[in-house]
């Protein structure tokens, strides 16, 4: 099935997850059942694991690998943090599922390794929350930056625009398509 | 949470408006603050403001009891007025006002734009609570965030159990002699958040959700709002008392900040932690400021320059330079004027202001408690954001992983050695008790609320037990160390509609062996885990095993207590302790295996989506449980019984301020 002016593509993990997934899909103008693969025409990406972000040792600093990947095309897998105070145009990717309440500006429960994932296509909209693991591919940014809403981010991934010729402004969030790989 | 929406609402709360002009058009959104029917302690400072929206130039007048008042800022007949009003608004301020005349007072104001004039009036009351009795030297506020009646009952049942209709033991807070109920509404809603919830107790006035120590206004920076003086500021200015703030939350959070920081945005973390220091009266001049001497909690991320990894500082959450009339009228030093400075090295600035700094349970325990080396000011930051909760701190201390995990949560949050709240409370009292003028200490059990939001009952209950152990420390101080101390235990609001619905009807092994409920969605089908709830007689009297550290060894006992959430979001319930302080992880086993291979913590089968039964959120959908409008219990202790007895009965949240001030000023 062809992605049409695709903004976010979801692959649903299980029927129950689909409850929230369908809402997300509708919010994003996607047809039910739409799924995508992202490997064929996407540029090659380096896989970065959360466990590699911070350098080993007592001092808290970014690893050499993290710094070396700045500006490069990376792929990460994690979870979409659920925030009580939603953010527009992006979401936090975290090593474990995280629930942030209103405290601390809404971000006090994010682990330090959290990566802010930026969707240019959704810059004025909230990204609907997805349960379960998500995989993102895009350009990795390293270094402190003040976001328009007053947050500061240290690590970011700017999502790829898809290579769909029909749209030059489309991003990709592919939920890990594990069902296809299920051995049964 | 919806305070952001509320902040933008109309501000004329209760104020009476009338159009004085016959012109067709007139300014809109005309309001006067303080809001109608506000109450102030004799001499307590507050800012007055007249504002409105329209087409400039703007002008305004204001009188109190018929006596014309001059504004401290706001140029008459100008477009810019006070220079801090939001676009389209004009604003006129009288900063740092106070009255020494008890009774009811009337503010009459007018606001004029190029199209007409609108009048507004509001009343305020000044009360005098001075008396002949010996006043309390110290005030300790034990604030269990989100802690309702059921949280207290749950902590008692888990900690002590019950037999034959009677509890087998009681919490420290149960032994407080005077108990009452408190309403929790804010200025703009029956359901409050922590900012106006706490500020009601510390200012005696209501504020909008999301705002603390201020009255609502349309201004260009969250720190420009009209202020009302905190208990800490009043008592530092008039009696030289010190302030201590202790919390398991990010120390930026609303509950600690609503004792010391004036802001229209509880999330403006950079400015909040800056203001803690900048308005702490570091020179000890005692003309202004809070006298902050102890600050213990999480939130190290706000103290690191924005250029350092791990920092959350930003210009957007900071304060720009405060208005000159605010600085002058509140007698603040020029150093408190502030600046948008995300690269500030705040940790160093605190130390330069005389604070000793600790960052772990070990270094906190090593702080000298007597002699020349004992610090007079103490800063402790034990995590980057919120501190971890009791259940996860204890797992690391006991060196026993929470079932279903392969790592300790405290390690994942790069804060492996965090103190318990009773240890923090002891350390705070040791420092504050060295101050001969007495102190105000606020201790917050923050994650009772946070874990109730997350519908993680076990973590919420363990944090209530942790909070109760801190209460025991405060009670001991008030009974044995300095008997001129009043201690109150209360919450800012209830969270999640927490309730004890019964107990597991059977063993945990049987529970784990039940067929999956994940796809049982038909209303006519009974999920196995719903049928496992023992109600009424089947609940019996669960008994937990308590370790030497004072906490249960496990929450997953046969016949365990089961909890419900009346203000819930959607959830999958399997009745077992969650391996991580997280929302349902909903992972199929194939994904778990894949994540484990990729180096992710293995997700337990018992949190998989196929396991728990789906409970549709009653208050919200796929989101967190929310605060409720329920009254909360308050318990008070003082060696002088009359001081504590004030809190018996049903009272407004702002009455708590009045009663605490009566205790201090001898009018109880
Ligand atoms: Zn809350």
């Amino acid at each position: 099935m062809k992605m049409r002016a695709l903004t976010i593509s979801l692959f649903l993990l299980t029927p129950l997850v689909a409850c929230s997934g369908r809402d997300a899909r509708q919010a994003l103008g996607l047809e039910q059942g739409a799924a995508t693969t992202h490997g064929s025409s996407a540029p090659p990406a380096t896989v970065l694991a959360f466990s590699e972000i911070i350098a080993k040792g007592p001092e808290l600093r970014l690893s050499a690998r993290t710094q070396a990947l700045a500006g490069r095309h990376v792929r990460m897998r994690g979870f979409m943090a659920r925030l009580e105070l939603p953010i527009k145009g992006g979401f936090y990717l975290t090593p474990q599922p995280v629930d942030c309440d209103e405290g601390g500006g809404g971000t006090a429960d994010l682990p330090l390794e959290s990566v802010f994932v930026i969707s240019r296509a959704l810059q004025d909209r909230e990204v609907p929350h997805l349960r379960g693991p998500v995989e993102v591919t895009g350009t990795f940014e390293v270094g402190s930056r003040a976001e328009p809403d007053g947050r500061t981010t240290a690590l970011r991934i700017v999502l790829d625009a898809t290579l769909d010729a029909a749209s030059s402004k489309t991003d990709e969030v592919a939920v890990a398509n594990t069902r296809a790989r299920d051995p049964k | 949470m919806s305070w952001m929406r509320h902040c933008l609402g109309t501000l004329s709360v209760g104020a009476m408006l009338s159009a004085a002009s016959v012109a067709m058009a007139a300014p809109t959104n005309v309001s006067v603050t303080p809001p109608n029917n506000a109450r102030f302690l004799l001499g307590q400072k507050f800012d007055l403001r007249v504002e409105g929206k329209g087409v400039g130039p703007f002008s305004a007048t204001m009188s109190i009891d018929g006596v014309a008042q001059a504004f401290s800022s706001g140029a008459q007949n100008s477009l810019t007025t006070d220079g801090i009003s939001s676009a389209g608004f004009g604003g006129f301020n009288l900063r740092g006002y106070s009255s020494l005349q008890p009774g009811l007072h009337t503010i009459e104001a007018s606001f004029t734009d190029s199209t007409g004039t609108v009048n507004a009036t509001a009343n305020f009351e000044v009360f005098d609570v001075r008396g002949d009795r010996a006043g309390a030297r110290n005030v300790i506020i034990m604030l269990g965030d989100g802690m309702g009646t059921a949280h207290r009952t749950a902590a008692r049942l888990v900690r002590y159990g019950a037999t034959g209709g009677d509890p087998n033991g009681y919490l420290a807070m149960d032994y407080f002699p005077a108990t009452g109920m408190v309403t929790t509404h804010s200025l703009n809603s029956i359901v409050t958040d922590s900012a106006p919830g706490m500020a009601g107790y510390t200012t005696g006035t209501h504020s909008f959700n999301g705002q603390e120590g201020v009255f609502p206004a349309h201004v260009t920076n969250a720190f420009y709002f009209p202020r009302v003086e905190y208990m800490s500021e009043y008592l530092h200015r008039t009696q030289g008392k010190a302030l201590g703030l202790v919390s398991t939350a990010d120390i930026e959070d609303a509950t600690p900040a609503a004792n010391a920081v004036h802001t229209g945005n509880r999330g403006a973390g950079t400015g909040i932690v800056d203001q803690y220091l900048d308005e702490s009266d570091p020179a000890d001049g005692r003309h202004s400021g809070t006298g902050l001497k102890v600050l213990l909690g999480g939130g190290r991320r706000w103290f690191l320059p924005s250029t350092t990894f791990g920092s959350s500082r930003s210009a957007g959450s900071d304060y720009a330079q405060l208005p000159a009339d605010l600085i002058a009228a509140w007698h603040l030093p020029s150093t408190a004027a502030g600046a948008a400075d995300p690269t500030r090295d705040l940790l160093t600035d605190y130390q330069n202001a005389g604070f000793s700094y600790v960052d772990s349970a070990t270094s906190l325990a090593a702080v000298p408690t007597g002699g020349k080396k004992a610090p007079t000011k103490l800063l402790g930051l034990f995590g980057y954001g919120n501190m971890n909760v009791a259940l996860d701190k204890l797992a690391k201390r006991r060196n026993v992983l929470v079932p279903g995990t392969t790592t300790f949560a405290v390690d994942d949050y790069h804060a492996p050695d965090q103190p318990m709240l009773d240890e923090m409370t002891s350390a705070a009292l040791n420092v504050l008790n060295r101050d001969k003028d007495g102190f105000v200490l606020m201790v917050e059990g923050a994650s009772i609320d946070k874990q109730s939001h997350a519908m993680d009952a076990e973590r919420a209950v363990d944090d209530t037990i942790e909070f109760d152990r801190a209460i025991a420390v405060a009670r001991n101080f008030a009974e044995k160390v300095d008997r001129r101390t009043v201690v109150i235990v209360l919450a800012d609001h209830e969270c999640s509609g927490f309730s004890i619905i019964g107990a597991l009807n059977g063993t945990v092994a049987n529970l784990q062996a039940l067929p999956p409920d994940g796809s049982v969605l038909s209303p006519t089908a009974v999920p196995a885990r719903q049928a496992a709830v023992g109600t009424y007689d089947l609940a019996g009297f669960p008994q937990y095993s308590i370790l030497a550290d004072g906490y249960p060894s496990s929450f997953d006992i046969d016949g365990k207590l089961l909890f419900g959430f009346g203000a819930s979001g959607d959830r999958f319930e399997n009745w077992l302790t969650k391996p991580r302080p997280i929302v349902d992880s909903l992972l199929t086993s194939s994904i778990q295996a894949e994540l484990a291979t990729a180096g992710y913590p293995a997700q337990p089968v018992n949190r998989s989506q196929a396991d728990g039964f789906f409970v549709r959120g009653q208050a919200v959908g796929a989101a967190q449980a929310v605060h409720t409008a329920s009254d909360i219990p308050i318990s008070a202790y003082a060696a002088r019984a009359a001081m504590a007895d004030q809190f018996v009965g049903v009272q407004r949240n702002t009455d708590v301020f009045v009663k605490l001030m009566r205790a201090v000023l001898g009018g109880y």
Side-chain angles (χ1 to χ4, degrees):
Chain A
M1 179 167 181
K2 186 175 159 52
M3 293 186 295
R4 187 183 55 77
L6 179 65
T7 48
I8 283 196
S9 62
L10 311 170
F11 196 93
L12 304 177
L13 296 172
T14 64
L16 272 175
V17 175
C19 292
S20 59
R22 262 199 299 275
D23 295 344
R25 203 183 279 277
Q26 280 158 5
L28 297 165
L30 292 173
E31 287 173 45
Q32 192 171 340
T36 183
T37 54
H38 52 72
S40 55
S41 49
T46 307
V47 173
L48 175 64
F50 276 108
S51 57
E52 300 172 315
I53 286 181
I54 292 178
K56 303 279 179 251
E59 227 176 281
L60 190 83
R61 52 190 174 78
L62 294 170
S63 67
R65 175 170 167 80
T66 303
Q67 289 172 349
L69 285 174
R72 304 270 297 278
H73 196 235
V74 302
R75 178 165 300 150
M76 293 191 73
R77 182 174 287 189
F79 297 87
M80 190 186 285
R82 193 167 73 176
L83 306 189
E84 190 171 5
L85 305 174
I87 291 171
K88 286 181 178 161
F91 63 91
Y92 283 98
L93 189 75
T94 55
Q96 299 161 347
V98 170
D99 230 4
C100 288
D101 72 358
E102 74 272 32
T107 56
D109 284 306
L110 292 175
L112 283 171
E113 295 88 342
S114 303
V115 174
F116 187 55
V117 178
I118 297 165
S119 161
R120 285 162 293 176
L122 283 181
Q123 57 181 318
D124 299 325
R125 285 188 283 168
E126 291 168 19
V127 180
H129 181 258
L130 296 174
R131 297 171 183 267
V134 293
E135 184 176 85
V136 301
T137 309
T139 306
F140 192 46
E141 296 183 352
V142 179
S144 173
R145 188 178 89 181
E147 304 297 334
D149 59 7
R151 288 171 301 113
T152 290
T153 56
L155 303 169
R156 293 168 298 280
I157 288 178
V158 181
L159 289 173
D160 286 345
T162 72
L163 302 177
D164 186 339
S167 171
S168 60
K169 254 194 82 177
T170 54
D171 294 348
E172 174 181 290
V173 177
V175 175
N177 181 353
T178 49
R179 190 154 66 185
R181 292 177 228 162
D182 208 316
K184 93 170 160 24
Chain B
M1 254 301 298
S2 54
W3 60 266
M4 280 183 151
R5 284 192 293 276
H6 290 305
C7 296
L8 305 173
T10 179
L11 303 178
S12 50
V13 179
M16 290 151 279
L17 304 177
S18 64
S21 164
V22 293
M24 291 298 286
T28 60
N29 297 69
V30 174
S31 71
V32 55
T33 52
N36 194 34
N37 294 331
R39 293 182 297 167
F40 300 96
L41 180 67
L42 195 79
Q44 183 185 6
K45 288 185 165 195
F46 59 96
D47 292 342
L48 296 115
R49 174 176 172 86
V50 180
E51 69 168 32
K53 192 176 188 183
V55 182
F58 303 104
S59 45
T61 64
M62 183 178 63
S63 69
I64 298 176
D65 300 333
V67 179
Q69 304 289 318
F71 293 109
S72 58
S73 61
Q76 296 288 347
N77 204 27
S78 74
L79 293 169
T80 54
T81 61
D82 59 357
I84 61 165
S85 294
S86 302
F89 279 81
F92 301 84
N93 310 283
L94 172 52
R95 301 274 189 182
Y97 178 85
S98 65
S99 170
L100 294 173
Q101 287 183 301
L104 203 61
H105 300 274
T106 302
I107 308 167
E108 293 177 293
S110 71
F111 183 87
T112 303
D113 78 347
S114 60
T115 66
T117 296
V118 169
N119 293 329
T121 67
N123 294 323
F124 67 91
E125 186 189 342
V126 172
F127 58 89
D128 182 1
V129 292
R130 291 172 299 179
D132 298 336
R133 295 190 168 189
R137 180 173 174 266
N138 312 308
V139 175
I140 303 180
I141 302 172
M142 303 298 298
L143 196 291
D145 205 300
M147 185 179 73
T149 309
H151 292 94
R152 291 174 63 150
T153 311
R156 186 197 303 129
L157 284 175
V158 168
R159 176 66 182 79
Y160 295 103
T163 317
D166 289 325
N168 296 338
Y170 293 90
L171 300 172
M173 62 184 117
D174 292 334
Y175 284 111
F176 278 44
T179 289
M181 301 287 280
V182 183
T183 65
T184 62
H185 315 307
S186 72
L187 183 58
N188 63 328
S189 175
I190 54 168
V191 183
T192 190
D193 71 72
S194 293
M198 183 81 228
Y201 306 144
T202 53
T203 67
T205 58
H206 292 297
S207 43
F208 268 21
N209 284 356
Q211 307 188 351
E212 51 212 21
V214 296
F215 298 124
H218 289 90
V219 288
T220 53
N221 185 284
F223 293 84
Y224 293 165
F225 281 66
R227 292 182 169 197
V228 54
E229 192 169 37
Y230 283 114
M231 178 189 304
S232 62
E233 294 170 308
Y234 178 87
L235 291 176
H236 180 67
R237 176 166 65 83
T238 59
Q239 299 191 2
K241 292 199 191 302
L243 173 65
L245 298 175
V246 175
S247 175
T248 52
D250 187 317
I251 203 66
E252 171 287 335
D253 212 352
T255 302
N259 285 270
V261 174
H262 302 274
T263 180
N265 177 6
R266 59 171 280 179
T270 308
I272 287 169
V273 294
D274 280 3
Q275 197 167 93
Y276 278 141
L277 178 64
D278 294 343
E279 300 197 15
S280 67
D281 190 18
D284 205 24
R286 303 186 176 194
H287 302 299
S288 68
T290 60
L292 181 77
K293 293 195 170 161
V294 172
L295 190 63
L296 303 178
R300 197 181 302 150
R301 63 197 181 121
W302 302 107
F303 292 72
L304 308 171
S306 59
T307 47
T308 304
F309 175 64
S311 171
S312 287
R313 289 183 66 87
S314 69
S317 62
D318 203 351
Y319 49 90
Q321 191 167 357
L322 296 178
D325 66 323
L326 190 162
I327 294 286
W330 287 78
H331 298 294
L332 291 167
S334 58
T335 49
D341 48 6
T343 57
R344 182 176 184 180
D345 181 357
L346 195 59
L347 214 44
T348 300
D349 285 358
Y350 269 78
Q351 291 172 88
N352 288 341
F355 282 83
S356 292
Y357 173 58
V358 292
D359 63 359
S360 66
T362 304
S363 56
L364 181 70
V367 170
T369 56
K372 282 188 175 167
K373 285 190 174 165
T376 55
K377 296 181 186 178
L378 182 62
L379 172 68
L381 300 171
F382 307 110
Y384 285 89
N386 293 325
M387 290 174 66
N388 284 103
V389 299
L391 193 142
D392 296 309
K393 289 187 290 192
L394 289 165
K396 175 77 173 184
R397 286 184 172 214
R398 295 167 174 177
N399 199 26
V400 176
L401 287 165
V402 178
T405 61
T406 55
T407 57
F408 290 109
V410 294
D411 292 337
D412 295 342
Y413 278 84
H414 305 283
D417 182 25
Q418 301 174 48
M420 306 301 289
L421 189 58
D422 53 350
E423 297 159 359
M424 295 161 71
T425 305
S426 289
L429 287 168
N430 281 333
V431 174
L432 292 170
N433 194 37
R434 295 163 58 82
D435 200 299
K436 64 177 175 15
D437 299 306
F439 59 82
V440 176
L441 169 63
M442 194 289 301
V443 177
E444 183 195 21
S447 289
I448 302 167
D449 178 70
K450 296 179 191 307
Q451 295 305 312
S452 297
H453 275 294
M455 295 173 283
D456 188 328
E458 284 77 13
R459 283 181 173 77
V461 174
D462 227 17
D463 267 52
T464 310
I465 295 173
E466 181 187 32
F467 180 55
D468 191 60
R469 292 173 62 85
I471 292 167
V473 171
R475 167 75 183 256
N476 182 69
F477 180 87
E479 206 169 347
K480 309 248 170 73
V481 181
D482 187 346
R483 291 172 63 82
R484 296 164 295 175
T485 302
V486 58
V487 188
I488 59 169
V489 177
L490 74 176
D492 44 358
H493 53 75
E494 199 274 349
C495 183
S496 81
F498 195 74
S499 60
I500 305 159
I501 60 175
L504 179 62
N505 183 18
T507 65
V508 168
N510 281 344
L511 175 67
Q512 287 168 324
L514 292 175
D517 283 320
S519 55
V520 180
L521 294 173
S522 162
T524 58
V526 177
R529 281 157 192 78
Q530 187 186 66
V533 179
T535 58
Y536 295 103
D537 301 8
L538 293 177
F541 295 110
Q543 300 287 344
Y544 290 77
S545 150
I546 305 298
L547 298 184
D549 57 24
Y551 297 85
S553 60
S554 165
F555 277 86
D556 290 342
I557 60 164
D558 296 343
K560 67 181 288 189
L561 287 168
L562 300 182
F563 303 95
F565 306 93
S568 57
D570 294 350
R571 75 185 201 276
F572 289 87
E573 184 56 75
N574 72 355
W575 303 127
L576 292 166
T577 300
K578 293 176 176 63
R580 279 279 187 260
I582 54 168
V583 68
D584 320 279
S585 44
L586 297 183
L587 304 183
T588 64
S589 54
S590 58
I591 301 173
Q592 293 167 35
E594 189 175 337
L595 284 173
T597 317
Y600 291 91
Q603 298 291 327
V605 176
N606 65 28
R607 291 305 299 169
S608 73
Q609 172 222 349
D611 175 359
F613 71 103
F614 181 67
V615 184
R616 171 67 76 196
Q618 195 168 338
V620 288
Q624 298 191 334
V626 296
H627 300 171
T628 68
S630 302
D631 290 358
I632 53 88
I634 181 172
S635 297
Y637 171 82
R640 290 172 185 272
M643 220 181 250
D645 287 347
Q646 297 183 90
F647 297 94
V648 173
V650 176
Q651 56 222 289
R652 293 174 286 179
N653 46 7
T654 52
D655 293 338
V656 172
F657 173 82
V658 179
K659 292 172 181 181
L660 286 174
M661 295 312 298
R662 265 199 204 117
V664 173
L665 299 176
Y668 58 93

